[in-house]
Amino acid sequence: MRLGGRLAAAIEVLEDIGRRHRPVADALKDWGLSHRFAGGGDRAAIGNIVYDALRRKRSAGWLLGEDTPRAIGFGALLLEWGQTAQSLNDALDGDKFAPPLLTAPELEAIAERRLADAPDAVRADIPDWCAPLFEKTFGATWADEGAALATRPPLDIRVNTLQANRDKVLAELTGTGAKPAAIAPQGIRIPPIDGDGRHPNVQAEPAFQKGWFEVQDEGSQVAAALSGAEAGMQVLDYCAGAGGKTLALSAAMDNRGQIFAHDAEKARLAPIFDRIRRSGNRNVQVVTKPAELAPLGNHMDIVLVDAPCTGSGTWRRRPDAKWRLTQRQLDARKSEQSAILEATKAYVKSGGLLVYITCSVFDEENGEQVAAFRHRNSGFVPVDHRALWDSRFPGHAAAARIGPAGDVSLSPALSGTDGFYFCALRRSA
């Protein structure tokens, strides 16, 4: 397929997403199934246009004067693919599968508008109702932080030290562009792709099948490392999901001690069993029933709560989610977070840690949630997060935002990671 056919297909997928309010991955999968003539390169390019259009929906729409699927599809190519209005019309001219060429009003809008002059929420590529949330969290730099969340993400890998080391994995990934991660000591990063490129399928590598590494954002790796799990500890990963942080904690503990992996939704835990077998993690017990959790009360050195949240910190990877998010959903997540914190405090032993993590950048889900919990529970006190950060990641003081109340925040603009929040509370009584 030529660029015109790929753009037309991307517009079709964007129309489907808008009409049926469905996740982008589902819409792309269905398009591929109904257009089997499209090769892997075509599907990758179409997916890139769709994802770019959703990441840059506000700025792409502003550039062309409207936010229709057509406008944001064209806008994505202008903003992310190095195209100009002239080069696009030249590429599409004479292609019977291409959408109509840019119109005179569209060409005029593109010529007259500069993104630097756009409203802040447009430059940030976020819904208007989220702008106060970003400003509250980031202050004067909030539009830049939003814009960073609208960029293409890298592919991050965590080396499984139970099976390999970073040099060994890097040697296996020669030719992929893989380099050591900037912060996480066991992290590897493959840079964001350009244009119609695609990341290598690292999960097809023999090294992955042998359990040498897992795909995990560097921010998630950092949060796991900050929790301080060590050999011999008793740890409860209360919202374990597919087990990414569980496996990271297990490796940090060198398979000694115990990790109890729990999730209220059993289906979320399903992938963890294969991951445990492949990675050689032997100190993980998966627990799902309340009766299995009861004996853990007041016995855990660390209780890790990777809380359900809006996922606003992951919008680089899931850009469709930011356009579906509502205030009602945010309120529901906040209610869940509060209930989970209250439920998990009972498992922390005296002197132990309650570690609260989200992949959100909203203070309502982060600092405010911790402050409300501490108001209800005076026996939980934040550790010295600056000292904790400097001890774990010396030389990277500028890569994290350390809050005055004692917490750590990561973001694409500041840290080069997804957006993450971390707070460790020590139980004093």
Side-chain angles (χ1 to χ4, degrees), residues 112 116 127 133 175 178 183-184 200 222 248 256-257 276 295 360 365 369 375 392 396 412:
E112 292 180 350
L133 302 178
I183 306 170
V222 166
R256 291 178 286 165
I276 289 171
S360 172
E365 300 182 272
Q369 198 66 267
H375 181 74
R392 296 288 176 181
H396 295 287

Side-chain angles (χ1 to χ4, degrees), residues 253-270:
M253 295 166 68
D254 196 27
N255 264 337
R256 291 178 286 165
Q258 286 186 304
I259 300 180
F260 301 91
H262 169 78
D263 201 287
E265 296 289 337
K266 294 181 182 179
R268 293 179 190 153
L269 283 166

Side-chain angles (χ1 to χ4, degrees), residues 69-346:
R70 168 188 161 83
I72 65 175
F74 272 95
L77 294 177
L78 293 169
L79 292 170
E80 294 290 340
W81 291 56
Q83 294 281 353
T84 66
Q86 185 62 54
S87 68
L88 269 179
N89 270 355
D90 288 346
L92 272 53
D93 192 21
D95 184 348
K96 66 178 181 180
F97 298 107
L101 302 183
L102 289 164
T103 64
E106 289 172 336
L107 290 169
E108 183 178 355
I110 294 167
E112 292 180 350
R113 296 189 171 197
R114 295 189 320 119
L115 195 54
D117 300 327
D120 287 342
V122 171
R123 291 192 298 107
D125 273 296
I126 60 173
D128 284 331
W129 75 272
C130 290
L133 302 178
F134 270 75
E135 187 170 12
K136 184 176 183 179
T137 298
F138 296 112
T141 64
W142 70 269
D144 294 332
E145 291 285 355
L149 277 166
T151 59
R152 289 186 176 185
L155 174 60
D156 288 345
I157 288 168
R158 178 186 60 80
V159 175
N160 176 22
T161 53
L162 298 174
Q163 304 282 8
N165 59 50
R166 186 154 69 175
D167 288 342
K168 190 175 181 179
V169 174
L170 283 169
E172 287 293 308
L173 297 177
T174 298
T176 65
K179 302 289 184 183
I183 306 170
Q186 305 305 331
I188 290 174
R189 169 160 293 184
I190 298 174
I193 55 177
D194 295 320
D196 61 356
R198 48 181 168 173
H199 275 131
N201 180 12
V202 294
Q203 292 181 333
E205 295 285 337
F208 177 79
Q209 301 302 326
K210 289 185 285 189
W212 290 7
F213 65 84
E214 294 285 336
V215 175
Q216 185 177 24
D217 181 77
E218 187 180 12
S220 181
Q221 297 179 47
V222 166
L226 286 171
S227 68
E230 297 178 355
M233 283 186 171
Q234 299 289 301
V235 178
L236 171 60
D237 187 354
Y238 190 78
C239 304
K245 291 185 181 66
T246 299
L247 300 184
L249 296 173
S250 174
M253 295 166 68
D254 196 27
N255 264 337
R256 291 178 286 165
Q258 286 186 304
I259 300 180
F260 301 91
H262 169 78
D263 201 287
E265 296 289 337
K266 294 181 182 179
R268 293 179 190 153
L269 283 166
I272 198 173
F273 298 99
D274 283 339
R275 299 178 80 180
I276 289 171
R277 284 190 289 270
R278 186 182 66 250
S279 300
N281 300 91
R282 299 188 303 273
N283 64 337
V284 179
Q285 294 187 42
V286 179
V287 295
T288 58
K289 300 180 179 63
E292 296 173 320
L293 287 172
L296 308 184
N298 296 308
H299 280 76
M300 297 294 102
D301 295 290
I302 299 172
V303 175
L304 187 143
V305 176
D306 188 0
C309 66
T310 58
S312 53
T314 67
W315 281 350
R316 293 188 301 176
R317 306 178 193 280
R318 302 178 180 89
D320 51 324
K322 67 179 167 181
W323 309 115
R324 294 198 306 268
L325 183 64
T326 65
Q327 180 66 53
R328 182 176 180 179
Q329 291 170 330
L330 172 57
D331 292 341
R333 298 294 85 77
K334 289 164 57 179
S335 179
E336 291 173 359
Q337 292 155 6
S338 179
I340 289 171
L341 281 169
E342 286 300 317
T344 52
K345 68 181 183 183

